[in-house]
Amino acid sequence: MELTKSLRQYPLEDIIHDTVRDEPADYGKNKSDFSSTKKFKALKRIPLSGLMDLKIDYAFKQLFGIEKNKQITIVFLNEFLQKTGRDPIKDITFINIEAGGEYIDDKQSRLDVLVLTTAGEKINVEIQFTDQYNMIKRSIYYWSGVYRSQLRSGMGYDELSDVISINLLNFNIFDQTERFHTMHHLFEDEEQFKLTGVMEFHYIEMPKLLKAWKEDQLDPWNDVLARWLLLLGMIDHRNKKFYEDIYRELEEIAMEDETLRKAFHNWEELSMTPEQFLAYESRLKHILDEEAAKREAELRAQKAEKDGMKRGMERGMERGMERGIERGIKSGMKRGIEQGEKKAKKLIAQRLLSDGAEIQYVMGITELSKEEVLEIQKDIMG
């Protein structure tokens, strides 16, 4: 499968290095407040097709899951926490943890990004590119592993910290809502009070996000989470879609948002590093090959089902015809015998009546009804 060509093939004039302003972000301003700002390129400009798709787990981890980009990750995660009223993160520590037994052969599955906050919360960020139709159970499984892993000898259950699960999905899973960001906790059924805060799930459905963007329902100038999520949705290598309009909007916002500007720079540097881009291409190819193999298996199953139904119908028709002929013969023979017996009985009745036998006597001998015997007698008398 042909993937994005190496960035080394792009001419130097396609990559622009410009001076940027290092000013703190002011999220309270509206887009109109910047309309009179002198516009200039804040970011190195490479073709969008040369950027890694951040919805691929490898690229996401390289930008959000490493120590040197810790401040970017803190800002990104804080936008989720403030949606549920949690205190902002001051600092994080990256943790490597594996969840075992996910598959039948008990393979180990490394979590995408897991951090420990200074408040003791553990935040697991999972990015899923392909719908495996098990995302809710998968996220609960990962959550339970992280929550259970905290317990050490001598600890009490009240010492277990909250675990927050953030799931970034390249597909939709909830038909009940058009909202791209849903948050889930444990609540009492009738009065809806929260059972506990130790369990918290966030689901981001990227197709709904892009739909909201196209319908002009997003304001990344005032919704900081929306601008970060649009950053993730801007590149779509699988479908060869690259959203220039999103780039232009975020580029202008990055004039005032220092962390977003840093994320752009690091993203482009990552994409321009040959070794990193080669590893990214390898991971993307692996995912696309898995999708193709799964699709081929589904098509084969559908064809087998269709062929099976066709053969079943043909066999059913053949058997039906055979049974119909057999039943027809049996039914015809039965009717013929019945009709022959009836005719013989009428002949006997006719002879008895001609010899002057009583009607009741004839009925007893032939088992004909009174009406039938009277009809025969009428025919004899002419």
Side-chain angles (χ1 to χ4, degrees):
M1 183 178 296
E2 183 179 355
L3 302 175
T4 308
K5 60 184 178 180
S6 171
L7 294 175
R8 288 174 293 183
Q9 297 177 1
Y10 295 111
L12 291 177
E13 56 267 24
D14 285 342
I15 304 176
I16 303 174
H17 300 264
D18 288 313
T19 305
V20 299
R21 296 184 300 167
D22 284 324
E23 297 178 359
D26 185 353
Y27 299 149
K29 292 185 178 182
N30 292 316
K31 181 177 179 180
S32 58
D33 296 335
F34 303 118
S35 58
S36 60
T37 303
K38 180 181 178 181
K39 295 184 178 181
F40 56 91
K41 294 278 186 187
L43 312 170
K44 296 190 299 295
R45 187 67 164 99
I46 65 174
L48 292 189
S49 60
L51 288 171
M52 294 182 182
D53 187 339
L54 294 175
K55 297 183 295 300
I56 300 297
D57 50 11
Y58 176 82
F60 182 84
K61 291 177 188 179
Q62 294 304 310
L63 187 62
F64 291 96
I66 59 177
E67 188 69 22
K68 78 168 188 175
N69 291 338
K70 182 164 66 174
Q71 191 56 40
I72 294 174
T73 308
I74 290 173
V75 171
F76 178 63
L77 295 179
N78 271 335
E79 293 309 312
F80 286 94
L81 269 57
Q82 66 91 17
K83 295 288 186 182
T84 54
R86 292 182 180 270
D87 294 332
I89 302 170
K90 302 299 183 184
D91 196 9
I92 58 174
T93 302
F94 290 97
I95 305 172
N96 289 326
I97 189 171
E98 291 181 338
E102 180 185 1
Y103 305 110
I104 294 174
D105 56 359
D106 200 34
K107 291 180 181 178
Q108 297 290 311
S109 177
R110 184 172 294 276
L111 303 179
D112 286 348
V113 175
L114 179 63
V115 302
L116 175 67
T117 72
T118 47
E121 301 159 320
K122 285 190 174 181
I123 304 177
N124 177 38
V125 184
E126 291 295 318
I127 186 151
Q128 294 293 326
F129 190 78
T130 302
D131 189 0
Q132 303 292 336
Y133 305 102
N134 58 8
M135 192 59 226
I136 295 176
K137 288 187 177 181
R138 179 191 289 257
S139 60
I140 293 173
Y141 175 84
Y142 285 161
W143 178 93
S144 66
V146 176
Y147 188 71
R148 189 177 60 254
S149 68
Q150 302 178 79
L151 193 62
R152 297 288 182 270
S153 178
M155 284 182 61
Y157 289 111
D158 58 346
E159 297 179 77
L160 296 176
S161 300
D162 297 358
V163 174
I164 301 162
S165 173
I166 298 174
N167 302 277
L168 308 172
L169 312 179
N170 196 37
F171 47 87
N172 294 333
I173 58 172
F174 297 117
D175 297 330
Q176 303 92 324
T177 180
E178 287 298 314
R179 290 166 45 230
F180 61 83
H181 179 201
T182 54
M183 296 159 281
H184 306 261
H185 300 82
L186 288 177
F187 287 92
E188 198 280 330
D189 286 349
E190 293 190 15
E191 298 185 37
Q192 293 295 298
F193 57 84
K194 189 184 294 184
L195 176 65
T196 175
V198 302
M199 176 181 281
E200 179 173 312
F201 292 89
H202 295 256
Y203 293 95
I204 299 293
E205 299 168 271
M206 295 303 296
K208 291 180 181 178
L209 172 85
L210 293 174
K211 181 174 182 289
W213 167 257
K214 292 174 184 177
E215 295 175 354
D216 202 25
Q217 296 176 2
L218 294 182
D219 179 13
W221 290 86
N222 294 301
D223 186 342
V224 182
L225 180 58
R227 72 180 65 161
W228 284 99
L229 295 178
L230 286 170
L231 187 78
L232 300 182
M234 192 171 74
I235 304 298
D236 182 359
H237 274 164
R238 176 170 59 186
N239 298 310
K240 293 182 172 52
K241 290 184 179 180
F242 313 102
Y243 296 92
E244 290 278 357
D245 54 343
I246 295 178
Y247 178 86
R248 288 192 297 270
E249 191 87 359
L250 295 183
E251 183 184 45
E252 190 172 352
I253 293 173
M255 301 299 107
E256 305 297 326
D257 186 338
E258 181 180 0
T259 307
L260 182 64
R261 188 164 67 246
K262 182 179 179 182
F264 262 113
H265 287 323
N266 291 354
W267 183 16
E268 290 182 325
E269 288 175 5
L270 176 66
S271 300
M272 293 165 61
T273 305
E275 295 80 6
Q276 296 278 30
F277 202 83
L278 183 62
Y280 161 79
E281 284 185 323
S282 177
R283 177 58 179 157
L284 176 58
K285 183 179 185 301
H286 176 74
I287 292 174
L288 296 181
D289 286 347
E290 282 187 338
E291 286 186 349
K294 181 180 177 182
R295 181 57 180 161
E296 288 175 4
E298 289 174 350
L299 291 174
R300 285 196 298 270
Q302 291 174 6
K303 185 177 185 301
E305 183 180 0
K306 185 177 179 181
D307 291 345
M309 290 178 64
K310 182 179 179 182
R311 287 195 298 269
M313 290 177 65
E314 289 174 350
R315 290 176 182 174
M317 290 176 67
E318 289 175 359
R319 291 178 182 176
M321 290 175 67
E322 290 173 359
R323 290 178 182 175
I325 293 170
E326 182 181 348
R327 289 175 182 174
I329 293 171
K330 288 182 178 179
S331 178
M333 290 176 65
K334 184 179 179 182
R335 284 197 301 270
I337 292 170
E338 290 174 350
Q339 290 174 0
E341 289 178 349
K342 192 84 169 178
K343 187 174 182 180
K345 289 178 179 180
K346 287 183 177 182
L347 287 172
I348 293 171
Q350 188 177 24
R351 289 177 183 176
L352 290 172
L353 289 170
S354 298
D355 292 338
E358 296 291 333
I359 291 177
Q360 291 296 329
Y361 176 78
V362 175
M363 289 172 56
I365 295 296
T366 62
E367 297 181 347
L368 294 174
S369 67
K370 185 176 182 180
E371 288 75 12
E372 289 175 316
V373 174
L374 290 173
E375 184 68 26
I376 294 171
Q377 187 181 53
K378 183 180 178 181
D379 289 341
I380 293 172
M381 295 175 66

